Amino acid sequence: MSDLDSQVPYWDAAAATKTFTHPLHLPWLDRADRHAAILDYGCGYGRVMKELEQRGFSDLTGVDASPAMISRARRLHPAMRCAALDAPPATPYLDASFDAVLLFAVLTCIPGDEAQHRLIAELNRILKPGGILAHKLTSA
């Protein structure tokens, strides 16, 4: 099992009851285009995406390595676009697909430097030139 998927069993087991409480405070939100294509990588049950939707953002996509978290997201927010990743860090998206990618407490779940570098390389691939990679380092 790689660094990128070694925690899937934990997150699948925690998916039904885990509540994330870290606040969404990103300075760029105030000036960001509400139609920007945003990917929430490690979206969990969709909490951040729901908050962004409530702030007027309309082009939101979420992915997570935990199928159970994605199932919960779909139950809680049936209209949201979200998908489980088959082989993290790989995503099914074309190059330069997103204006912004969010990583909330994802890097803290990937202990290896090489695995973190592979994730960042994938996110750079799917970001549009000049796109924003926003992350929050915190424990989950």
Side-chain angles (χ1 to χ4, degrees):
M1 200 175 284
S2 76
D3 283 349
L4 294 171
D5 61 7
S6 65
Q7 293 197 17
V8 171
Y10 168 80
W11 290 112
D12 278 347
T17 58
K18 180 71 175 173
T19 300
F20 296 106
T21 59
H22 45 278
L24 177 63
H25 173 71
L26 299 172
W28 62 269
L29 283 176
D30 294 334
R31 62 184 189 278
D33 180 348
R34 296 307 193 244
H35 301 291
I38 300 174
L39 175 68
D40 184 0
Y41 191 102
C43 69
Y45 57 84
R47 181 186 72 93
V48 170
M49 289 175 49
K50 184 64 177 175
E51 196 167 331
L52 288 171
E53 181 183 73
Q54 291 170 343
R55 292 179 183 210
F57 290 91
S58 61
D59 190 357
L60 303 170
T61 303
V63 294
D64 201 284
S66 167
M69 281 287 187
I70 292 299
S71 292
R72 182 176 173 195
R74 288 178 176 154
R75 279 192 311 277
L76 292 173
H77 316 290
M80 281 187 188
R81 284 189 314 250
C82 54
L85 294 169
D86 293 330
T91 67
Y93 307 110
L94 299 174
D95 294 356
S97 294
F98 294 96
D99 297 297
V101 174
L102 307 180
L103 287 171
F104 269 60
V106 172
L107 292 175
T108 59
C109 296
I110 303 172
D113 288 346
E114 184 181 327
Q116 288 182 1
H117 288 284
R118 287 193 320 267
L119 172 58
I120 298 303
E122 172 65 6
L123 301 181
N124 280 324
R125 181 188 70 76
I126 62 174
L127 267 173
K128 292 178 181 175
I132 297 169
L133 176 58
H135 67 92
K136 180 173 176 80
L137 297 174
T138 184
S139 57

